[in-house]
Amino acid sequence: SRGEGPLQVTAEGQPEVTVFDDLSSSVLRLCFHSLVELLRAEESEYTYRYMTAASILYIHRSGEQIRWSGALVPDGVVFPLREYVAALYSCGRRYLSLLARALGEDDLAVRLHRAAADVAEACLQGAGLPTEVAAFVLPPEDRAQRQAEVGPA
């Protein structure tokens, strides 16, 4: 285990959803494995079993929407498919990059994540879905706060 940590998913008009679990496992399964399963059919479901809690997260695809349900997330959270898959895939790739820098390319966790990422990328491309998210634009008040913290862009 690499340690527990949060994986947060947000969408406009929806409550922020946080999966707090073993981070390496949650990234592998949510950012890569689940995307492969959800892209198999327009009506599909992925069952995420937490490693650090006795709970389950159900991720259901219905056409162009993804819905999360389970005891540890707000009920009825819905995400648009296109943005959802791009955001989770991009998150997983960023984590993989950090993991590879920290542990080296030969580490088993890095190799497992890379193999899963490659399969997910092929599925996304095969479905004509993006593998990168558009640039994030912070609301003006957040942008001002960020500039105060790091200086002008």
Side-chain angles (χ1 to χ4, degrees):
S1 170
R2 304 282 179 207
E4 293 179 32
L7 193 149
Q8 296 177 321
V9 181
T10 60
E12 189 174 325
Q14 298 293 317
E16 182 176 276
V17 180
T18 301
V19 173
F20 193 86
D21 200 8
D22 178 89
L23 191 56
S24 184
S25 176
S26 64
V27 169
L28 180 66
R29 294 184 293 138
L30 290 173
C31 296
F32 302 133
H33 292 172
S34 74
L35 300 183
V36 172
E37 292 302 315
L38 294 170
L39 292 174
R40 287 189 192 276
E42 292 214 6
E43 292 292 329
S44 53
E45 187 167 274
Y46 182 81
T47 302
Y48 176 86
R49 289 175 173 79
Y50 287 79
M51 293 190 67
T52 61
S55 194
I56 296 175
L57 167 65
Y58 299 99
I59 306 170
H60 179 78
R61 176 184 176 189
S62 181
E64 297 299 309
Q65 292 188 324
I66 300 290
R67 183 176 39 83
W68 280 23
S69 61
L72 301 180
V73 297
D75 201 28
V77 177
V78 177
F79 304 102
L81 174 70
R82 187 175 186 80
E83 291 83 0
Y84 175 86
V85 296
L88 278 180
Y89 177 78
S90 293
C91 172
R93 278 291 186 182
R94 288 189 306 273
Y95 180 82
L96 173 56
S97 177
L98 291 171
L99 202 63
R101 282 200 306 267
L103 303 176
E105 288 293 333
D106 291 333
D107 183 83
L108 179 59
V110 173
R111 290 183 302 167
L112 288 172
H113 280 74
R114 187 165 313 286
D118 290 346
V119 171
E121 181 174 6
C123 289
L124 288 167
Q125 289 175 342
L129 292 167
T131 56
E132 295 184 19
V133 293
F136 292 99
V137 178
L138 295 173
E141 62 276 5
D142 291 347
R143 198 174 314 124
Q145 175 65 34
R146 181 81 177 131
Q147 265 188 304
E149 292 170 1
V150 297

